[in-house]
Amino acid sequence: VFKARMGLGATRSSGRCPCPWQCSLNWITFKGWVRSVRSQKEVLFLHINDGSSLESLQVVADPSLEKRDLTFGSAVEVQGKLVKSPHKMQNMELQAETIHVVGPCDIWSFPLKMKERHPLEYVRQFPHLRCRNNTLGALLRIRSEATASIHSFFQDNGYVHIHTPIITSNDCEGAGELFQIEAKESVEKSHFFNVPAFLTVSGQLHLEVMAGAFTHVFTFGPTFRAENSQSRRHLAEFYMVEAELSFTESLQDIMQVMEDLFKTVTSTVLSKCPRDVELFHKYVAPAQKVMHVTGKNCNPVIISYSEAVEILKQAPQTFTFKPEWGCDLQTEHEKYLVKHCGEVPVFVVNYPYDLKPFYMRDNEDGPQHTVAAVDLLVPGVGELCGGSLREERLPFLESRLQRYLDLRKFGSVPHGGFGMGFERYLQYILGVDNIKDVIPFPRFSHSCLL
Ligand code: 4AD
Ligand code: MG
């Protein structure tokens, strides 16, 4: 309780309070980084932040404790008595007895400045320091809570967590956006694994294997795509949440899990990190565009791909890519569809057979041939999740793919699943424009800092 209230930087000090009663009550050591120094004639004020929340602890000290290297950005260890603050701004303050500068900070070359709200594009240049910035600090705490909440959501609903491999010999999506891996010091010229090996683009095929023994499985790990894109929603390394459900024959079941996951995780994040989220909604999300991520505004609508194309064809605006049945939905189309539906999440179901990967289930529906696929589009971001029923029928698959087939020979059941891009999720709930600002160390084409 003490740590939760005081932050991670606080420990009860072993020393004795120098008061006449030598009490040890509220006598603490607090460690963190200086956010502000204000020196007055009678008193020295410091604000120290230990990363546990946006709030810094106010330290009051005798001006004699001021030192030259006690500056903004320095790391300090303060011993003193924690008391109720007479100032309205904070609950508690620390009356310092000793202040030890553990690591001084060269403020002239330190790129972050005291009490300045730096733009995200600016702090992005300093991947090794931006975690000390309020916005990135808040983001990283939210990311951590959201991660824990995603795991709890699945565990609470009976899913088994599977560590799907990062090194794989398949190209699940068949889109060819693969990073190939080789041992650096290849003794022979042959492949290390005897076969070409890649960084995973999706854990789906491994989850499908496991869905042959457990009815509900999930994975949540790093995913890699050699997408030659600098766009504000693509990374070369991102985190994907994936779930696979056996014994399901309806896309509705899959959509329900996506929706429940989104609502549960979002309400947990809002209740556990209200101040961190507020920072984004107040200062980061584009003006007048704060995402309403709870309540009625997050109740999704469902339309078919064919309906979506009709809506786009009747749109009063012209698109760079002319909407046509059989063509992929472009970002501009996704944006229009979300707006058309009232800026709420939109499930688009039943895509053309020829647009989607081999594993999606054939709807056997005549000339406009579709598969049981679903994409979830959300305001400001576009595609957040992609999923489908899987083709579990051997003859249907035989015509498409030779591998994957064995799985269908030994107790094959109808199943389906989906993947959600974790960074896009954070972008959406926080209203962050660029995906590079919701991951600690962004990797994208032509950039791999640190
Ligand atoms: O739609 P995708 O490609 O679906 C799959 O990979 C399926 N195998 C998942 C499954 O059914 N198990 O990717 C899923 C989501 C996308 O909707 C998007 O949110 C995110 O992953 N995503 C990316 N996020 C950041 N950068 C990229 N380059 C991304 N590519 C996909
Ligand atoms: Mg997709």
Side-chain angles (χ1 to χ4, degrees), residues 155-174:
Q155 302 280 2
D156 293 348
N157 286 287
Y159 285 71
V160 176
H161 177 218
I162 304 290
H163 286 119
T164 51
I166 288 173
I167 299 175
T168 169
S169 55
N170 74 59
D171 174 8
C172 174
E173 295 304 291

Side-chain angles (χ1 to χ4, degrees), residues 422-440:
F422 184 50
E423 284 72 23
R424 291 197 189 171
Y425 167 76
L426 293 171
Q427 267 189 288
Y428 172 45
I429 63 161
L430 302 174
V432 175
D433 189 55
N434 198 315
I435 197 164
K436 300 170 189 77
D437 299 323
V438 293
I439 187 161

Side-chain angles (χ1 to χ4, degrees), residues 1-11 28-36 46-59 73-78 82 94 131-134 137-138 140-141 276:
V1 170
F2 176 73
K3 288 226 175 202
R5 276 187 40 204
M6 282 313 306
L8 303 172
T11 46
I28 66 160
T29 303
F30 191 77
K31 299 164 196 167
W33 293 267
V34 175
R35 284 300 179 87
S36 75
L46 302 176
H47 281 103
I48 300 177
N49 189 279
D50 67 353
S52 59
S53 82
L54 274 177
E55 220 139 342
S56 297
L57 179 65
Q58 171 155 288
V59 172
S74 58
V76 294
E77 193 176 311
V78 182
L82 194 64
L94 182 58
C131 50
R132 299 258 290 276
N133 163 266
N134 268 348
L140 293 169
R141 281 186 296 272
D276 290 327

Side-chain angles (χ1 to χ4, degrees), residues 173 202 204 225 227 235 242 359 383-384 390 418 421:
E173 295 304 291
S202 163
Q204 179 191 325
R225 303 228 173 145
E227 236 153 338
L235 290 166
E242 294 181 87
Y359 54 74
E383 183 193 328
L384 173 66
R390 317 308 190 191
F418 68 94

Side-chain angles (χ1 to χ4, degrees), residues 138-186:
L139 181 273
L140 293 169
R141 281 186 296 272
I142 293 168
R143 214 185 137 101
S144 169
E145 277 303 340
T147 302
S149 175
I150 285 168
H151 278 273
S152 306
F153 170 83
F154 284 116
Q155 302 280 2
D156 293 348
N157 286 287
Y159 285 71
V160 176
H161 177 218
I162 304 290
H163 286 119
T164 51
I166 288 173
I167 299 175
T168 169
S169 55
N170 74 59
D171 174 8
C172 174
E173 295 304 291
E177 294 161 336
L178 297 162
F179 287 106
Q180 187 158 353
I181 57 166
E182 279 298 329
K184 190 169 172 230
E185 305 294 340
S186 225

Side-chain angles (χ1 to χ4, degrees), residues 154 159 203-205 207-211 214-219 242-246 248 254 388-390 404 415-418:
F154 284 116
Y159 285 71
Q204 179 191 325
L205 298 186
L207 278 190
E208 283 195 62
V209 169
M210 298 303 169
F214 308 95
T215 60
H216 293 73
V217 286
F218 80 103
T219 189
E242 294 181 87
E244 200 66 29
L245 295 72
S246 285
T248 178
I254 313 285
S388 75
L389 294 181
R390 317 308 190 191
Y404 201 55
H415 62 293
F418 68 94

